[in-house]
C-alpha cells in the first residue's frame, strides 16, 4: 500500500487503490415496495371480478324466466354458438361458410382501409385549418355538419353512387373517421403557444420548419386522441357499413343472424367486436405513450 507523507512532515497517509466498500442501501430503497404488487393485483382483480359478476347476473336473468331464451340466451348457449361459428360442425364451416376469426379479419381490414383514409385526411385538413385562417372558415362548418350525421343517413346514398361492393363500406368508414381527427387536430394546432412559434421564427426557421418542429410535436398528443376516437366511431359504424352485402364480415354476420332471431350468434358477434375494439384501443394507447412520452409530465 503506497504511503504519502503529509504536509510539513506530518503523519503519512495511506493511499489505497481498492474502492471503499459502498454503504448499504437504505431499507426503504433496497426493499421492494409492497404497495406496488398489491395495487397491480387489485387492478387485475377488479376487471376479473366485474366480469364474474356480470356473468352471474346474466345467468340469473336467463334462468329467471322473465324473458324467453330467444331474447336472453344463457351464457352456456352463447358459448356453444361461439364454438359453432369458430369450427366446422355438422358439415357446416363456421357461419355461412366462414369462421368467426375470418369474419372479424375481413371487417378489420375494411376498418383499416376506411379509417386509415379518414384519419390521414383528417390530419391534413386539421393542420391546414389550424394554421390557415381562411381554410378553417371555409371547411369547419362542413366538417361539423358531417360530424352530426349518423352513418345510416348517407349510407343509402353511397350505395346508389358506388354500388354494393366494398366501395360504399370503405367510404362510410372513412367519412365516419374523418371528423374526430380533423376537429382534434385543428383545436390542437390552434392551441400551440404563440411564444414557441415566434421564438422559432426569430431563430430563422421557415414556415415549414415551424410546422414540422413546433406545431406538429405540440399538436401530436391531441391528434392521437382524435385517432383513438376516430377508430371507435368507425367501429360503431361497422354494422351499418355491412348492412348490404356484408357477408363475410362480423357486422354482416350480426345483421344476418338478427334476421333469423339467432340471438346467441348476434351476441357472439357483438362480444367479438367489443373485445377486438378493446385490444385495438389498447395498442393505440401504447403507441401514444411511445410517440408522445412527455404527455402528462410537467
Amino acid at each position: 500500500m503506497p504511503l504519502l507523507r503529509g504536509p510539513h512532515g506530518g503523519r503519512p497517509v495511506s493511499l489505497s487503490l481498492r474502492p471503499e466498500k459502498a454503504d448499504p442501501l437504505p431499507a426503504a430503497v433496497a426493499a421492494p415496495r409492497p404497495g406496488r404488487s398489491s395495487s397491480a393485483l387489485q387492478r387485475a382483480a377488479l376487471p376479473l371480478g366485474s366480469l364474474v359478476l356480470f356473468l352471474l347476473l346474466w345467468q340469473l336473468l336467463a334462468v329467471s324466466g322473465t324473458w324467453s331464451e330467444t331474447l336472453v340466451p344463457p351464457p352456456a348457449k352463447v358459448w356453444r354458438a361461439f364454438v359453432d361459428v369458430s369450427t366446422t360442425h355438422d358439415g357446416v364451416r363456421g357461419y355461412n361458410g366462414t369462421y368467426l376469426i375470418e369474419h372479424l379479419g375481413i371487417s378489420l381490414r375494411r376498418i383499416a382501409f376506411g379509417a386509415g383514409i379518414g384519419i390521414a385526411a383528417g390530419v391534413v385538413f386539421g393542420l391546414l385549418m389550424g394554421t390557415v385562417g381562411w381554410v378553417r372558415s371555409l371547411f369547419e362548418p362542413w366538417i361539423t355538419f358531417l360530424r352530426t350525421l349518423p352513418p345510416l343517413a348517407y349510407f343509402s346514398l353511397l350505395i346508389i353512387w358506388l354500388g354494393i361492393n366494398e366501395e360504399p363500406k370503405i367510404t362510410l368508414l372513412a367519412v365516419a373517421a374523418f371528423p374526430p381527427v380533423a376537429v382534434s387536430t385543428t383545436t390542437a394546432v390552434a392551441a400551440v403557444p404563440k411564444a414557441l412559434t415566434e421564438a422559432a421564427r426569430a431563430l430563422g426557421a421557415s414556415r415549414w420548419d415551424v410546422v414540422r418542429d413546433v406545431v406538429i410535436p405540440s399538436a401530436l398528443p391531441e391528434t392521437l386522441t382524435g385517432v383513438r376516437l376516430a377508430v371507435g366511431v368507425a367501429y360503431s359504424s361497422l354494422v351499418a357499413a355491412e348492412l348490404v352485402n356484408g357477408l363475410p364480415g362480423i357486422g354482416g354476420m350480426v345483421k344476418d343472424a338478427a334476421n333469423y332471431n339467432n340471438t346467441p350468434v348476434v351476441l357472439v358477434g357483438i362480444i367479438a367486436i367489443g373485445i377486438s375494439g378493446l385490444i385495438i384501443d389498447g395498442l393505440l394507447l401504447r403507441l401514444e405513450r411511445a410517440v408522445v412520452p412527455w404527455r402528462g409530465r410537467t
Side-chain angles (χ1 to χ4, degrees), residues 161-244:
W161 287 347
L162 303 175
I164 61 173
N165 294 321
E166 292 297 299
E167 289 81 1
K169 303 178 185 64
I170 301 298
T171 304
L172 176 66
L173 296 173
V175 172
F178 170 72
V181 182
V183 171
S184 62
T185 303
T186 301
T187 304
V189 170
V192 174
K194 292 188 178 298
L196 295 178
T197 58
E198 291 174 356
R201 288 171 182 170
L203 293 174
S206 64
R207 186 180 183 89
W208 165 245
D209 292 333
V210 171
V211 172
R212 182 191 61 192
D213 299 329
V214 178
V215 174
I216 292 180
S218 299
L220 195 55
E222 294 301 325
T223 299
L224 291 177
T225 300
V227 169
R228 291 177 60 197
L229 293 175
V231 173
V233 172
Y235 242 101
S236 65
S237 306
L238 179 61
V239 177
E242 296 179 347
L243 280 175
V244 179

